[in-house]
Amino acid sequence: MRISRSRSVLLAGAVAVTLSATALPAAFAAPSSSAVISEVYGGGGNSGATLTRDFVELANSGSAPYDLSGFSVQYLPGAPSAGSLWQVSALTGSVAPGGRYLVAQAAGTGGTVALPTPDATGTVAMSAASGSIALVSGTTPLTCKTAADCAADTRIVDLVGYGSAVVREGSGPATGASATASVARAASLTDTDDNATDLSAAAPTPVNAAGQTSGGGTDPGDPGNPTEPGTVRVHDIQGTTRLSPLDGKAVTGVPGIVTAVRTTGSKGFWIQDIAPDADPRTGEGVFVYTGSTAPAVAVGDSVLVSGTVDEYYPSATTQSITEITSPRTTVLSSGNALPAPVVLDAAALPAAYVPSAGGGSIDALPLEPSAYALDLYESLEGTRVQIADTRVTGATTAYDEIWVTVAPEQNPTRRGGTLYSSYTDQNTGRIKVMSLDTTRPFPVGNVGDVLSGTTTGVIDYASFGGYNLQATELGTLTDNGLRREVTRKQKGGELAVATYNVENLDALDEQAKFDTLAEGVAVNLSSPDIVSLEEIQDDNGAVSDGTVGSEATLKRFTDAIVAAGGPRYAWRYVAPQDGQDGGEPGGNIRNVFLFNPHRVSFVDRAGGDATTAVAAVPTKKGVTLSVSPGRIDPASAAWDDSRKPLVGEFRFHGKPVFVIGNHFASKGGDQPLHGRYQEPSRSSETKRVQQAAEVNTFVKSLLAADKSARVVTLGDLNDFAFSPTMSALTAGKALKPLITTLPANEQYSYVYEGNSQTLDHILTSPGIRRFDYDVVHINAEFADQASDHDPQIVRIKVDGRR
């Protein structure tokens, strides 16, 4: 009998099957006369393999086409357990009389030769040595796990067991399958329903419906590799929307000039048609994906590419990349001139960033490259472009990426970045630059530097950052001398309070990290009186063994501050319950207060622990805390799996000051600005708004007891000054966000994807009327950074409360 399975839209190994147009047999005892599984190979991509993917091949020995609509190929491990399930790959189309049908399955890391263009693709990682393959009428997974039970399932058209498979036809499974050998039927496609007799081991020879083989040749009757262009051009593949009208379809002889080659990561090359059409929506470049195999072409080659068009989504919420997969390439000539690059500059950019789909997908919307920047970039996907003298807006990363702007007058910051100032005013000129030249070191640049001269390459898309320029020719970096800031020292009557996210600091970190962070406190922040720290971990960091204390971490940090010329700080914190406060697993992240006991005193009130809520206690002289240090309502659902705010009562010159250290929930899970859903959902915002409301309620309780109470709320709030989070935190004018008191081009403390933005904040209550506030830029704009956040400081004139 023969078995069929459904086709997955993802790339995978392949299965060959021979099919018949006759009715399905009731059991294995009645062999099919025309529809069979002709070859099975599970060693693709394994060590020693030549082919990069597994496959199953079907064949039709009948005289009429065999319709595979609604059929599937299904795989079961050779020795199935109680939890083993049949894995389904759906099929479409049909098998021609005397023809083959190739089902690609999972790819491995080995091998050098791609399969011929598959007719269907699944994601099953088949065993090289043992397994069962079924051709099934339907796509519902089989449930049988013995040969007898499967023989009774009338949906099974054919079945092949190989190696030591329990589920097989006849006297035993086919033998000899390995990383270098498939099991296959003879040319006659004889099927006696005895796998041990009907199939034998040999080198794998996959053939698709077009008669193509893995070596790029053909079976008899195939017209051979094309030497003339086919009817499809690149702009036909790209189409007028983000999705190719040819997605999932085979194309033959697509002409183009190779404009760039990628030899690392997702390998492949880009081609561009030198005879473009007149429609600005239809791109002329496309990426040809060769998987783990290095491309056998060179820049300047004139080629004809055959393969399958695929829309590849790097993640569920991103846009897709249009590719030609499983390629066969004919090189017609070499050394050809490349098409002239499209110049990307401020004049070329539309004013708007992206069309709206009311929160839905923009995939199917017609492109409007003259109206929207993301539509322009999409219309240039795979196309050769050029930028010139672009200012750096995001420093070089550890992944050799740098962000620049082609619109230098667009929302510039004082120090050379590009300000992100609202949800509706996106910076259209930002683009990430990477290099395809692996022989030269990537330039290390800071915000405000310039990538001088011309940079040329092709437009690509990635899950992190969206559209990017894969440079074949990189400009020269001009250092504009960005320096780390040093804030002024507080005066005698000023209380200096700072916030600093020290990025998962724990006692196991290298001393260099401690020293750099310590210099930031002692020198750049000029030794504040109080420092509210975020992201202090327990003493063994990510080791998950029940440790929750941070004494060793804080001892090393405060020692390093002394060594850097700062004071001997004391500290206070509330240790979290193990595994309850989010962050890196095992790290038990928390907020911590450092304070200089020679300048300010901490009011200790016993009883504060991980689960006890701090409360405002009215007194005749104002307000005090029930516990100090304490945490704001730690049992509230707002703080589930999240850092709880730390509240402390200090005294400066005999006057009480209340400090609330915060680290709100991250933006993880939000849809990207450049993604396919527009406007993007900010799902993480819900929890931050709840957290902000909790803090606001607590501040109001302090003010209800003493309307002149001096309250400083600060930390990494993970949200913008214009966000609903900030509205919830400042409700009722309980707090004033100090970031908005700065000039607009200085309102940032963090740089993400080339946008200078504010995630860290200091807010003060109405009782604090005289202050001097500063964001101290020492990290976010630099390639070499101790943290990805810049610290902030406020100097308060406590004696001037009225």
Side-chain angles (χ1 to χ4, degrees), residues 490-706:
Q490 65 268 31
K491 298 175 183 177
E494 292 178 319
L495 174 67
V497 185
T499 175
Y500 198 178
N501 183 319
V502 292
E503 199 172 5
N504 289 327
L505 186 67
D506 70 76
L508 303 183
D509 283 330
E510 297 290 334
Q511 186 62 38
K513 180 175 181 178
F514 281 94
D515 292 343
T516 305
L517 289 168
E519 183 178 1
V521 173
V523 177
N524 301 92
L525 288 173
S526 294
S527 300
D529 301 312
I530 302 170
V531 185
S532 182
L533 300 174
E534 300 88 55
E535 296 199 15
I536 290 288
Q537 293 193 335
D538 63 35
D539 286 335
N540 59 13
V543 178
S544 185
D545 63 357
T547 299
V548 295
S550 294
E551 298 300 301
T553 302
L554 293 168
K555 178 66 164 59
R556 282 190 67 188
F557 190 29
T558 53
D559 284 350
I561 292 173
V562 171
R568 170 64 66 182
Y569 282 104
W571 61 78
R572 296 290 188 276
Y573 66 87
V574 175
Q577 290 180 295
D578 187 32
Q580 297 301 305
D581 280 20
E584 185 179 27
N588 288 313
I589 199 169
R590 85 285 312 274
N591 300 305
V592 172
F593 293 139
L594 301 184
F595 63 96
N596 181 355
H598 295 291
R599 290 267 304 164
V600 63
S601 61
F602 189 87
V603 180
D604 287 296
R605 287 194 178 86
D609 58 28
T611 59
T612 299
V614 64
V617 179
T619 71
K620 292 181 179 180
K621 295 183 178 181
V623 64
T624 62
L625 298 178
S626 60
V627 294
S628 177
R631 305 174 110 192
I632 294 177
D633 198 8
S636 169
W639 309 112
D640 286 350
D641 197 34
S642 187
R643 289 75 58 166
K644 283 71 173 172
L646 180 68
V647 185
E649 183 176 336
F650 295 85
R651 288 196 174 271
F652 182 70
H653 292 185
K655 305 288 176 74
V657 178
F658 301 94
V659 180
I660 306 173
N662 302 274
H663 189 184
F664 286 1
S666 78
K667 289 183 173 291
D670 287 2
Q671 294 173 351
L673 297 178
H674 53 76
R676 65 169 131 163
Y677 298 109
Q678 297 292 337
E679 289 75 16
S681 168
R682 302 187 300 272
S683 59
S684 69
E685 190 175 80
T686 301
K687 173 157 277 197
R688 287 192 299 278
V689 169
Q690 294 170 349
Q691 294 174 342
E694 290 275 359
V695 176
N696 177 265
T697 297
F698 179 76
V699 171
K700 285 179 177 175
S701 72
L702 292 171
L703 299 181
D706 180 1

Side-chain angles (χ1 to χ4, degrees), residues 21 75 148 157 168 197 263 284 305 498 512 521 581 624 659 751 793 799:
Y75 170 82
V157 180
R168 77 271 184 147
T197 301
T263 58
E284 300 298 339
V305 178
V521 173
D581 280 20
T624 62
V659 180
V751 179
I793 189 169
D799 293 336

Side-chain angles (χ1 to χ4, degrees), residues 169-320:
E169 291 181 349
S171 62
T175 59
S178 69
T180 57
S182 67
V183 292
R185 297 185 190 275
S188 63
L189 301 177
T190 299
D191 179 21
T192 67
D193 275 357
D194 188 335
N195 295 158
T197 301
D198 295 340
L199 295 96
S200 58
T205 56
V207 179
N208 64 11
Q212 299 164 345
T213 65
S214 59
T218 61
D219 271 1
D222 185 78
N225 288 334
T227 56
E228 296 293 332
T231 58
V232 174
R233 295 294 185 270
V234 172
H235 48 253
D236 298 322
I237 293 172
Q238 290 288 7
T240 59
T241 72
R242 285 172 165 78
L243 300 180
S244 171
L246 301 178
D247 184 25
K249 299 185 181 303
V251 292
T252 302
V254 180
I257 300 294
V258 176
T259 57
V261 176
R262 183 160 61 202
T263 58
T264 60
S266 295
K267 299 180 179 65
F269 58 95
W270 286 266
I271 63 170
Q272 187 168 333
D273 198 329
I274 57 175
D277 65 5
D279 191 337
R281 300 172 298 176
T282 54
E284 300 298 339
V286 71
F287 182 62
V288 180
Y289 174 67
T290 61
S292 60
T293 303
V297 295
V299 171
D301 284 353
S302 175
V303 297
L304 300 176
V305 178
S306 302
T308 301
V309 177
D310 180 58
E311 290 291 348
Y312 168 65
Y313 287 93
S315 75
T317 59
T318 62
Q319 296 186 56
S320 62

